Amino acid sequence: MLMQTMQIEDLLEVVQAIEACTGRMLQAARENDAAALAQARVRCDRLIEILRAAGPSDHWPKELRHARLRLMGRILQNEAALRRINCPDAAQGDALVTGAT
């Protein structure tokens, strides 16, 4: 199990790195920089695999779970913004899910 080699604080840093990667992906999409977008996507995918291998965050201390949730919220916001840029029709789906008009 990966938890034996990585501390929970290290895993929080992985979540922080994923948040940073999604931010770089969003910036690259806004700048229409396909190469930077692809590079950030590969990095993000690698980090996600590390996090998946670590298993669920149920065993994390409460304060770190809260920090993880805040980061995940920003990751989801970045991903939603990426969808709006890359697939404008997805904005309609987002509006349906969130109840926005």
Side-chain angles (χ1 to χ4, degrees):
M1 182 175 178
L2 187 61
M3 282 303 299
Q4 294 170 348
T5 59
M6 290 189 78
Q7 299 296 318
I8 292 171
E9 292 81 7
D10 296 330
L11 293 173
L12 185 61
E13 289 180 17
V14 172
V15 178
Q16 291 169 331
I18 292 169
E19 189 265 337
C21 274
T22 62
R24 284 193 294 278
M25 289 166 49
L26 180 56
Q27 186 64 34
R30 287 178 175 152
E31 294 172 357
N32 202 24
D33 186 343
L37 179 60
Q39 182 180 13
R41 170 74 64 194
V42 168
R43 172 82 172 132
C44 193
D45 288 345
R46 288 181 185 146
L47 291 166
I48 290 169
E49 286 305 314
I50 291 169
L51 203 57
R52 280 189 183 137
S57 63
D58 299 350
H59 56 280
W60 291 27
K62 186 177 182 177
E63 64 276 0
L64 293 180
R65 282 195 317 258
H66 288 290
R68 178 186 172 275
L69 287 174
R70 283 191 300 276
L71 288 165
M72 293 302 293
R74 290 197 295 264
I75 290 167
L76 292 173
Q77 289 172 347
N78 288 343
E79 289 289 330
L82 274 165
R83 281 192 310 278
R84 286 190 297 274
I85 291 170
N86 292 327
C87 185
D89 293 339
Q92 292 175 343
D94 287 345
L96 289 173
V97 170
T98 62
T101 57

